[in-house]
Amino acid sequence: MKKLLLLTFTLGIFFTAQAQFPGGFGGGAKKITVTGRITATILDSVTKKPIDYATVSLITVKDNKSVNGGVTDEKGKLSLLNIAPDSYKLMIGFMGYKTKTVLVTTTPSKPDNNIGTIYISGSENTLADVQVQGTKAVIENKIDRMVYNAEADGTNAGGDATDVMRKVPMLSVDMNGNVQLRGGAVRVLINGKPSGTMASSVSDALKMIPAEQIKSVEVITSPSAKYDAEGSGGIINIITKKSNAQGVSGTVNASAGTRQNNGAFNITAKTGRLSVNANLGTNLAYAQNSRVVIVNNTTVIDPVDNTVTANNVSQDGYSKWSRKGYNGSFGADYDFNAYNNISTTVKMNSFSNGGPGAANYIINGAPANNISDMDMTFDNLDWNVDYKKTSKKEGEEFSISGQLSTGKTPLHFSNILFSDLYPNGAATSSSNTGKNKEYTAQTDYTYPFTKSTILEVGVKGIFRDISSTYDNGGAQDFDYSQNVASAYGVISFDLTKKIKFKGGLRGEYTKIDFNTRDNGIETNDYLNLFPSAIISRTLKGNATLKLSYNRRVQRPSQSYLNPFRNTSDQFNIMQGNPQLNPELSDNFELGYSTFIKGSVINASVFYRRTGGVIESSISSTRDGSTNKTLTSYLNVGTAQTYGLNVFGSYNPKPKWTLMSNIGLNTYEVSNTATNVSTGTFLNYNIFARSAYGFGKGYNFELFGVVNSPRRTYQGKTDAMIFYGASFKKDILNKKGSIGINTLNPFTKDLHIQTVNNSITSTGTVFQSQNIYYPLRSFGVNFSYSFGKLKFTEKKKIKNDDIKQDQQQGGMGGVQQ
């Protein structure tokens, strides 16, 4: 009897709780027993082209309440899920078109309703615009990121990822392909995942990716705590053109030009629950002379008797480097049922550059000449396995992921110096092999209490081993181990109908062990907390205002840490610093975006405070009887950065699009311990683009990029200007295209000067470096698509906690 009473009492409490929280103890909305979906395809009534980003609302007939809605994809397709059986009005609207209403009914016996094709017509005053409405926007604004749709920009044909990055709003790219976001370091991901090549050199990794393989680039300025905390400026995510598709589909791209040649092949096949995809890309750059003129004036102070030794070395030479590489991947995706999915991807790439060089020297008034040769190779493999489980509750998701990344970077160089002292030549050479191995495991869970209240939690472990092996024995070998354990929680909800909030906290514990020749085995560990918050308010006229804060970290990567003494330029030595500490930054941003009669305006102001800023540093060193310049890396101090970014897009005519982005930010570093104070300087970058469609598949585009002089705590690098144009014609029923393109056609070389000054207790250095970079190019390109693509991105591991080399530029050489 007591057990019966206890059971009755327990059931009473349960049903009472169910009444109070209709969605269960999670507090969700009432669960519908039978739900279905409504699907449709929206096309232009005249051109029969798909209308992407058309707004669709689902309204109940009985009370005129909106219960669901969405936007169409690039194929004009719409899918509304979890629709309860009822009678509805489907309202379709898009700028320049008449709003159309379609009656739709679903029943318990037939919960799914495929309406088929719906045609909408242009309004009278905008009917002439219909021909271009189906074109995907080059730029999209989202709450925490800006998306650059590279596949919609014809000027990218024939280039590589570096050329694409130069046209992405808010980014600045130097002559070697190193990327900054609003004056800060960034983490570059590919399809949401890290790459082994990126851990060695971002600039080289970007040159390996043909532009034709890139679907879009996401610039994430306000990452939540769900992301790894790396990237003081933010995160860049490159989305490539591989995805799941029904049937068999793919693309073929090829380009040839005076600067480089690219080829790419992508194929995707899906049958039943199994989907497989593969791609292969290749890149070959012709060997061209890059002239390098360097002046080094150094003094070294003897610590014993304080005598000063001066040395003046000037060199005028060239490097004739070629570049070749390939990358490929294979992926498989299998749905066990509607709620369980497993996927795996293997990516491999190999990239090498280098070649001969020669230089004439004047060493303290005496002539000399040098013959050099260098070869650098990057071989990497990334393998990930991901399992995802969803439920009948829309938005609930659990995932487990594992990833293995391995990389090998052999480097070899040789020099033969001829002078009065060495009439028969003095030969030097050295080799170094760097290896990077990384294991990652993570699990994530997302639970929607309601449609607007969502909780995200997860844990992650990253285990890295870096080694550097010399050819001259083990005395200088270097081993570095870094393990990172992290956990996060993120909550998002609506404060009001117009105000949304998303905030979270991430904790990361880092343990480091490494050995060096001078100090033996050393250890270090630290715990950091990284809060993030973003609040947005919807204003009238499709405008949005947002305020965000996040804390970020930049850990030095392999190229910063490797103590290998690179003497490929024997008077300008390069060496990593294993004693570097991570950067920590606090970021605040206020942003505004709006749409006005088809025009897009996005503006933001930001403030960033970064402690322990890592920069390259030059100093004087004595090698035998000769003074030389040593370039390494240091934590130089604290930086305070204020900035402004404005992006705008405008259509003066239906077929003419104008686009521009202007970014401003201050540079200032101070360090009371070392008396470093740079003062405050203004940096800027400007991007402008004009595209015009002539009809019948003809398109012409112009673009230009201006990056201001770049400051460091020791010096300054000149401004850089890039400009280009392309002409493209659609062929084969718009499944293919042919085109021509050019970059800097009126300027053969891009001349960049860098001047650095260093004054320390051990000596002084004045260095002037002039590089004449062969940038001018002309090319032709061809692309062809077959089948029918349907893009669906899967959740993958995202290791984005490592600071990439913004200074390396190929270990002191000039990249083409």
Side-chain angles (χ1 to χ4, degrees), residues 85-400:
D86 207 340
S87 296
Y88 300 98
K89 292 185 293 185
L90 197 68
M91 298 189 66
I92 305 150
F94 191 66
M95 186 171 299
Y97 288 81
K98 298 176 182 178
T99 300
K100 187 166 186 175
T101 301
V102 178
L103 293 178
V104 184
T105 300
T106 62
T107 65
S109 60
K110 293 184 178 181
D112 296 336
N113 192 334
N114 183 2
I115 304 171
T117 301
I118 301 175
Y119 294 98
I120 61 175
S121 58
S123 56
E124 293 181 1
N125 57 343
T126 59
L127 197 56
D129 301 0
V130 169
Q131 298 182 47
V132 297
Q133 291 295 336
T135 302
K136 190 174 184 66
V138 175
I139 300 294
E140 298 176 59
N141 282 304
K142 298 185 178 181
I143 185 173
D144 63 343
R145 69 193 66 190
M146 181 176 286
V147 181
Y148 169 74
N149 291 307
E151 63 181 351
D153 188 343
T155 60
N156 290 320
D160 56 36
T162 303
D163 300 304
V164 176
M165 292 296 206
R166 286 171 178 151
K167 293 181 282 182
V168 178
M170 294 187 284
L171 300 186
S172 59
V173 185
D174 69 15
M175 62 185 175
N176 287 322
N178 299 308
V179 183
Q180 283 194 330
L181 171 56
R182 301 195 300 194
V186 295
R187 177 55 169 166
V188 180
L189 306 176
I190 299 177
N191 295 320
K193 300 175 306 211
S195 167
T197 315
M198 293 289 181
S200 301
S201 171
V202 171
S203 60
D204 290 318
L206 293 177
K207 290 181 178 68
M208 294 172 56
I209 306 173
E212 289 85 358
Q213 284 190 353
I214 299 176
K215 176 178 182 285
S216 61
V217 180
E218 298 178 341
V219 181
I220 307 172
T221 58
S222 303
S224 74
K226 186 173 183 176
Y227 289 91
D228 289 336
E230 192 275 338
S232 59
I235 295 172
I236 299 171
N237 186 23
I238 299 174
I239 305 297
T240 61
K241 293 180 180 178
K242 69 172 186 178
S243 60
N244 293 324
Q246 295 291 338
V248 178
S249 58
T251 59
V252 178
N253 304 95
S255 63
T258 59
R259 186 166 65 103
Q260 62 182 353
N261 305 282
N262 293 329
F265 174 74
N266 302 270
I267 188 169
T268 302
K270 185 172 184 179
T271 173
R273 299 177 181 178
L274 177 65
S275 173
V276 295
N277 56 68
N279 69 64
L280 181 65
T282 184
N283 177 289
L284 173 64
Y286 296 116
Q288 298 185 66
N289 286 352
S290 296
R291 185 185 175 199
V292 180
V293 180
I294 302 177
V295 175
N296 286 321
N297 297 326
T298 61
T299 63
V300 175
I301 302 174
D302 191 300
V304 178
D305 56 13
N306 290 326
T307 57
V308 178
T309 304
N311 218 47
N312 299 318
V313 178
S314 63
Q315 66 185 78
D316 188 342
Y318 71 91
S319 61
K320 191 172 184 178
W321 283 14
S322 61
R323 186 176 72 249
K324 59 183 178 181
Y326 68 87
N327 63 85
S329 71
F330 175 81
D333 188 287
Y334 183 74
D335 294 314
F336 293 99
N337 50 45
Y339 306 113
N340 294 273
N341 170 272
I342 189 169
S343 62
T344 184
T345 303
V346 178
K347 294 194 304 181
M348 296 172 289
N349 55 65
S350 180
F351 172 72
S352 63
N353 60 2
N360 295 318
Y361 285 84
I362 302 296
I363 306 172
N364 293 324
N369 61 77
N370 185 75
I371 298 175
S372 62
D373 194 25
M374 175 183 281
D375 180 69
M376 295 181 295
T377 303
F378 303 86
D379 295 315
N380 296 277
L381 181 145
D382 301 313
W383 177 35
N384 67 274
V385 179
D386 305 275
Y387 167 74
K388 183 174 69 174
K389 179 179 177 60
T390 58
S391 72
K392 293 181 180 180
K393 186 176 183 64
E394 183 182 4
E396 185 177 16
E397 182 177 294
F398 170 75
S399 65
I400 299 177

Side-chain angles (χ1 to χ4, degrees), residues 143-144 182 220-227 229 231-234 489-490 500-506 528-536 546-553 584-591 605-610:
I143 185 173
D144 63 343
R182 301 195 300 194
I220 307 172
T221 58
S222 303
S224 74
K226 186 173 183 176
Y227 289 91
S232 59
V490 177
K500 301 179 183 295
F501 173 82
K502 186 174 186 177
L505 179 67
R506 185 181 189 91
N528 297 110
L529 297 178
F530 302 98
S532 67
I534 181 169
I535 185 170
S536 65
K546 71 171 184 178
L547 177 66
S548 66
Y549 163 77
N550 56 70
R551 185 168 172 81
R552 312 289 293 166
V553 67
L584 288 172
S585 63
D586 293 279
N587 305 272
F588 299 86
E589 179 184 359
L590 177 63
V605 293
F606 65 92
Y607 167 74
R608 178 173 62 246
R609 185 185 187 277
T610 305

